[in-house]
Amino acid sequence: MRALLIAAGLTTGAAAGAQTAEERPELTVYTYDSFVSDWGPGPQIEPAFEAVCGCELNLVAAGDGAALLSRIRLEGERTEADVVLGLDTNLVHAARETGLFAEHGLSPELDLPVEWTDPAFLPFDWGFFAFVHGEGFDAPGSFRELAESDTSILIQDPRSSTPGLGLLMWVKLAYGDEAGAIWEGLADNIVTVTPGWSEAYGLFLEGEADMVLSYTTSPAYHLIAEDDPTKAAAPFDEGHYMQVEVAGMLAGSDQPDLARQFLDFMTGPEFQSAIPTTNWMYPAVTPPSGLPEGFETLTVPETALLFAPEEAAEVRDAALEEWRDALSR
């Protein structure tokens, strides 16, 4: 009888535990593919947030950054997302225009090189776009030099990728009305245009091109994670376009308190400490321990370029048309 009672007690306890797990609320975060990869921030962020939220964090890969906005637009108010993480300043205006995002009501102290006051979108990291190359390569020092050289490059599609869109903005801000001519010159240098960053960088590591569009911080990965100092970012005379990556909560979320808690956690030390050596970007809030050793070796652009969100929205269609025309010839 005692054995039966113990067994019954264990069964009841297991059922209660299962019920408790089932009753834990779920927070769904749409983000880009590399964020949830084995080497990205996701595997560290998920257990860390679940430990403080009493919830289940569901990180959903939805393509590259620009594809996130396309998916949210397509799903509209029917979306299962509570938070979208991975848009940037080039997409903020368009995201706001959907009417799908809510104000977060948070005001953390950020360590950004630009002032940030947006009430709906909160930064989690930032960096500079750059072309990364291998050791010993005589890299061009400007877009004009690149276009006049036989250097082969890999870039990302601006319609689906935030780096690809960043490159579009970079050329447009640096050259204005001459941007179309620059793209015509670059067309012969482009080996391929990939949907996202991961595909392009993988091809570069396989030796498919001399340079790949990435970030000034990308060499830190090779230096810190692989003890490989052979990658570098080419400094360009025009300056480098900046990316500020953001997250926002959906107005239709059935977990608004959890969504806000996640955004608050996002600018806290556990999340921000993971950014430099998993997302390989600068954190939006410098961790108490500072940046990892190796970041001091990175290329620091002399000139930072950035369109305001509204300006980026105004020039995007024309810049995209210039890009398409040049690459289709």
Side-chain angles (χ1 to χ4, degrees), residues 105-130:
L106 302 171
S107 54
E109 292 188 11
L110 303 172
D111 297 318
L112 298 176
V114 294
E115 185 178 357
W116 192 267
T117 58
D118 194 291
F121 298 97
L122 196 60
F124 64 92
D125 69 15
W126 65 279
F128 292 100
F129 294 114

Side-chain angles (χ1 to χ4, degrees), residues 102-187:
E103 294 189 6
H104 50 68
L106 302 171
S107 54
E109 292 188 11
L110 303 172
D111 297 318
L112 298 176
V114 294
E115 185 178 357
W116 192 267
T117 58
D118 194 291
F121 298 97
L122 196 60
F124 64 92
D125 69 15
W126 65 279
F128 292 100
F129 294 114
F131 283 95
V132 172
H133 61 86
E135 186 177 43
F137 180 71
D138 186 14
S142 70
F143 282 109
R144 290 193 189 279
E145 287 185 19
L146 175 56
E148 293 169 358
S149 74
D150 59 0
T151 299
S152 57
I153 61 174
L154 294 157
I155 66 172
Q156 299 86 30
D157 194 322
R159 295 163 294 188
S160 58
S161 165
T162 50
L165 182 56
L167 177 60
L168 210 64
M169 297 293 104
W170 187 1
V171 174
K172 190 64 176 176
L173 185 52
Y175 288 96
D177 293 340
E178 297 182 62
I182 293 295
W183 278 116
E184 288 180 17
L186 292 173

Side-chain angles (χ1 to χ4, degrees), residues 2-57:
R2 179 176 172 80
L4 289 174
L5 288 174
I6 292 174
L10 289 173
T11 303
T12 303
Q19 184 179 17
T20 300
E22 291 174 2
E23 290 175 352
R24 285 162 64 92
E26 181 177 87
L27 185 75
T28 298
V29 176
Y30 284 4
T31 186
Y32 45 76
D33 292 349
S34 62
F35 193 91
V36 300
S37 66
D38 290 343
W39 46 267
Q44 291 188 33
I45 300 305
E46 185 174 348
F49 182 63
E50 288 181 344
V52 298
C53 73
C55 69
E56 298 289 331
L57 179 60

Side-chain angles (χ1 to χ4, degrees), residues 218-309:
S218 297
Y221 163 75
H222 301 284
L223 181 62
I224 298 172
E226 300 180 331
D227 195 24
D228 174 9
T230 64
K231 303 297 186 292
F236 271 26
D237 294 340
E238 301 93 338
H240 290 248
Y241 198 83
M242 183 186 302
Q243 181 181 46
V244 180
E245 293 194 298
V246 304
M249 57 185 286
L250 278 297
S253 170
D254 60 358
Q255 299 290 345
D257 292 338
L258 271 181
R260 192 171 291 106
Q261 184 182 2
F262 178 81
L263 293 180
D264 186 47
F265 176 83
M266 184 183 74
T267 58
E270 282 192 276
F271 190 110
Q272 291 293 298
S273 294
I275 290 297
T277 55
T278 58
N279 226 31
W280 302 100
M281 296 280 277
Y282 293 106
V285 180
T286 305
S289 59
L291 295 174
E293 184 178 352
F295 267 67
E296 77 283 356
T297 68
L298 301 176
T299 296
V300 179
E302 292 185 6
T303 303
L305 305 174
L306 183 66
F307 277 121

